Amino acid sequence: MHEVLQCEEHACVYDSHKVSRYRKNTFDKDEFDNLASESAVALVYNGISHTVLMCSATELENLAIGFSLSEGIIQHYRDIHDIDIVHTVKGIELHIELCNRCFEQLKHVRRTMAGRTGCGICGTEQLDQVVRPLSTVGNQLTMDIASFDSALQELKQHQQLNNITGATHAAAYLSPNGEIVAIQEDIGRHIALDKLIGYIIKNKLEGGAILVTSRASFEMVQKAVIAGVEILFAISAATMMAVELAQQSNLTLVGFCRPGRADVYTHPERVTCHQ
């Protein structure tokens, strides 16, 4: 196995592995495939381990910020005093120094979640920790669906890690004109979105929409609302709970997004169509 690409000091993003490839009744045993790497990343707040995520070891500072916000651990970027990325033999530790107020609040919220890429709530102990009260988002943004089409067509070329491995999700931040401003990738769809939210907060971006290359579950809607985003586009379907939460939170939720088509589930007034 050969390491192909490095990121953030020692973390490997993907590796090349020998495979036997079956194509049209023949085997080719001398082919290589690029496999996305999974790394164990522990989030440690003020010296106390909170959770472990299996994820792609990129944009870890963005992950620390976005996860902390979307989980309700912080309310503002300034609530984090410092982030230190520590590589160990067993994985990576994100040492996050919180302000005293947030750390005291965190100690009252017992989470034993063993983070997994397929579920955003694994290990949550109480029902009220799953669906938290959310504020409603504003009404400042409208987007022409035709301008959004160009973002969909350009999305693939921006997904560098997925183009190599075919194994990662992406979350992209779009300008009101449908331009891709930023994109974050990860093997986990929730984590890709957390990374993007961290990027949005750190760079003080406002007035745009989010596009995710996955279905729109209620956790994805919840994260978008917490980030103050008014429109969430998803490549795949939306769940019923996601639609209900989006309706309550004044979020425009759009699913099955493809060039020339989209299904607007909630608050369609933000999406226009100019022929």
Side-chain angles (χ1 to χ4, degrees):
M1 187 172 290
H2 308 285
E3 188 172 292
V4 178
L5 180 64
Q6 296 284 337
C7 70
E8 303 206 10
E9 295 185 14
H10 310 294
C12 180
V13 179
Y14 67 90
D15 288 331
S16 180
H17 187 79
K18 191 173 182 179
V19 298
S20 295
R21 185 161 287 148
Y22 176 76
R23 298 290 188 275
K24 296 181 179 180
N25 299 319
T26 62
F27 265 116
D28 191 336
K29 298 183 179 181
D30 295 318
E31 292 289 324
F32 283 84
D33 201 4
N34 294 318
L35 306 180
S37 297
E38 297 178 80
S39 297
V41 177
L43 280 78
V44 182
Y45 292 96
N46 292 33
I48 298 177
S49 182
H50 177 66
T51 189
V52 177
L53 305 173
M54 294 303 299
C55 60
S56 305
T58 62
E59 307 292 349
L60 295 179
E61 183 175 308
N62 290 340
L63 172 59
I65 298 167
F67 179 89
S68 299
L69 183 75
S70 64
E71 289 294 308
I73 296 170
I74 63 172
Q75 284 74 51
H76 306 282
Y77 179 30
R78 60 178 177 269
D79 291 335
I80 295 178
H81 292 164
D82 190 34
I83 300 172
D84 192 19
I85 301 172
V86 179
H87 294 264
T88 71
V89 174
K90 295 183 179 180
I92 302 170
E93 293 180 352
L94 300 182
H95 289 261
I96 305 162
E97 288 298 318
L98 298 176
C99 66
N100 290 336
R101 170 180 51 82
C102 291
F103 184 56
E104 288 302 317
Q105 179 180 336
L106 177 62
K107 288 193 294 185
H108 290 291
V109 181
R110 293 187 65 247
R111 296 285 301 270
T112 56
M113 178 176 65
R116 300 177 185 176
T117 58
C119 177
I121 60 171
C122 299
T124 303
E125 293 180 325
Q126 299 178 10
L127 289 175
D128 60 5
Q129 292 176 336
V130 176
V131 184
R132 302 189 299 274
L134 299 176
S135 59
T136 58
V137 297
N139 287 293
Q140 305 299 317
L141 178 63
T142 58
M143 290 186 67
D144 184 356
I145 199 69
S147 66
F148 173 66
D149 274 358
S150 63
L152 285 171
Q153 293 167 349
E154 295 172 6
L155 181 63
K156 183 175 177 58
Q157 70 187 60
H158 290 279
Q159 294 177 256
Q160 297 181 4
L161 185 54
N162 190 62
N163 288 337
I164 295 169
T165 66
T168 57
H169 287 289
Y173 189 73
L174 308 180
S175 73
N177 295 325
E179 299 170 339
I180 297 176
V181 177
I183 189 167
Q184 302 279 278
E185 292 184 271
D186 200 274
I187 55 174
R189 59 193 177 93
H190 298 95
I191 299 175
L193 183 52
D194 277 337
K195 288 179 177 179
L196 182 67
I197 290 171
Y199 183 93
I200 291 170
I201 295 170
K202 188 167 64 173
N203 292 278
K204 300 179 180 179
L205 301 179
E206 294 181 343
I210 286 178
L211 167 64
V212 294
T213 60
S214 64
R215 72 181 186 274
S217 61
F218 91 91
E219 305 102 307
M220 307 293 273
V221 169
Q222 188 169 256
K223 290 175 186 293
V225 172
I226 290 171
V229 172
E230 296 183 26
I231 305 177
L232 176 62
F233 296 101
I235 295 295
S236 191
T239 66
M240 190 64 218
M241 194 170 183
V243 171
E244 291 172 350
L245 185 60
Q247 185 67 43
Q248 296 166 11
S249 303
N250 196 37
L251 175 83
T252 297
L253 179 58
V254 188
F256 289 116
C257 296
R258 300 287 191 277
R261 63 162 290 185
D263 293 345
V264 185
Y265 296 102
T266 61
H267 302 286
E269 63 276 5
R270 290 195 184 93
V271 180
T272 62
C273 180
H274 297 126
Q275 297 294 336

